[in-house]
Amino acid sequence: AQKVTQAQTEISVVEKEDVTLDCVYETRDTTYYLFWYKQPPSGELVFLIRRNSFDEQNEISGRYSWNFQKSTSSFNFTITASQVVDSAVYFCALSEAENNNAGNMLTFGGGTRLMVKP
Amino acid sequence: AAGVIQSPRHLIKEKRETATLKCYPIPRHDTVYWYQQGPGQDPQFLISFYEKMQSDKGSIPDRFSAQQFSDYHSELNMSSLELGDSALYFCASSSTGGRRPPIHEQYFGPGTRLTVT
């Protein structure tokens, strides 16, 4: 069974601070996919990134960066120089692919609410 | 770029009534997923369809049913509504790119907020 844990339920920072959101996952599959989604106050879920289990290369996109560590089953997300518009709930999600001939349902973590104050 | 369309955006129903939620996936996406997000909770997978066939099933109550039509739009039918069904219902779509299982990221619609009174 797959499981995603986001231990930080709420984080509050001041604008321009860096912040890291933690994500730890559990899966028995050797092939799987990890995702981050952003849910702003308006409610929609915005796709941010997908990472494959066989690709541990870290990624940077503007102020966002992701650190995938297979050895610790973690996929952490860092926002550099945070802005008020970054305030949202961020979800980490996992999809298993091995031995699965069906659609790749997502299992979400509980989410981390990030509040960036001016 | 076209996104996933869901209708209605808001729905208010009374207990024991029925509701139908509609989802129009991104053009050329062949897989549709339904998720339920209760207040303050993470989205929970309900059901998915690939090429109009049910492909996976999650924690979907027996009172709910869904299907995908020939034009790839999908409908989630909910009967005998209960107060606990009040939630945000998301539809997502993805493209397999001809590969199974599909590994492409899921793009979510804006959600339908269902309130059962």
Side-chain angles (χ1 to χ4, degrees):
Chain A
Q2 56 194 34
K3 185 179 178 182
V4 179
T5 302
Q6 294 179 253
Q8 306 147 307
T9 54
E10 226 172 80
I11 300 177
S12 181
V13 299
V14 176
E15 211 171 14
K16 295 182 186 171
E17 284 185 11
D18 298 348
V19 59
T20 296
L21 310 183
D22 298 333
C23 173
V24 174
Y25 62 91
E26 294 176 31
T27 176
R28 289 187 208 143
D29 281 5
T30 55
T31 302
Y32 52 89
Y33 305 90
L34 296 163
F35 304 81
W36 276 94
Y37 284 86
K38 174 182 179 180
Q39 187 171 42
S42 50
E44 72 270 26
L45 280 165
V46 179
F47 166 79
L48 296 179
I49 190 172
R50 178 195 69 180
R51 177 58 70 210
N52 307 331
S53 57
F54 43 86
D55 179 7
E56 283 194 74
Q57 189 173 4
N58 292 323
E59 185 158 337
I60 298 175
S61 175
R63 295 183 298 107
Y64 295 171
S65 63
W66 291 269
N67 183 0
F68 177 30
Q69 297 268 346
K70 218 168 173 178
S71 58
T72 55
S73 298
S74 65
F75 185 43
N76 296 338
F77 172 30
T78 297
I79 301 175
T80 303
S82 60
Q83 299 176 1
V84 173
V85 294
D86 295 328
S87 297
V89 178
Y90 290 86
F91 289 99
C92 180
L94 167 71
S95 171
E96 293 175 336
E98 203 165 347
N99 298 320
N100 179 6
N101 293 318
N104 55 337
M105 53 164 281
L106 293 174
T107 295
F108 287 83
T112 297
R113 180 177 299 279
L114 174 64
M115 291 175 287
V116 182
K117 299 177 182 176
Chain B
V4 177
I5 298 171
Q6 290 188 248
S7 68
R9 294 292 308 277
H10 301 272
L11 191 58
I12 299 175
K13 290 285 185 178
E14 294 188 356
K15 280 195 306 183
R16 292 180 288 278
E17 285 192 321
T18 60
T20 297
L21 310 185
K22 295 185 179 182
C23 169
Y24 297 85
I26 293 172
R28 291 180 294 281
H29 277 197
D30 49 23
T31 308
V32 166
Y33 313 78
W34 286 97
Y35 292 83
Q36 177 193 58
Q37 185 180 27
Q41 298 182 356
D42 55 286
Q44 296 290 315
F45 172 73
L46 293 177
I47 195 167
S48 63
F49 293 88
Y50 168 70
E51 287 290 348
K52 293 153 279 185
M53 299 284 289
Q54 182 183 309
S55 60
D56 204 359
K57 202 170 182 180
S59 50
I60 183 170
D62 292 340
R63 299 177 290 107
F64 294 7
S65 65
Q67 57 183 323
Q68 187 178 27
F69 295 86
S70 57
D71 64 351
Y72 290 92
H73 95 271
S74 178
E75 294 184 3
L76 178 65
N77 299 294
M78 310 158 72
S79 63
S80 303
L81 286 169
E82 302 173 355
L83 295 177
D85 296 328
S86 295
L88 191 53
Y89 289 84
F90 285 106
C91 172
S93 72
S94 68
S95 171
T96 64
R99 298 170 64 172
R100 292 298 302 279
I103 62 169
H104 293 197
E105 47 270 16
Q106 296 177 27
Y107 292 93
F108 284 77
T112 294
R113 188 169 296 281
L114 172 66
T115 302
V116 181
T117 62

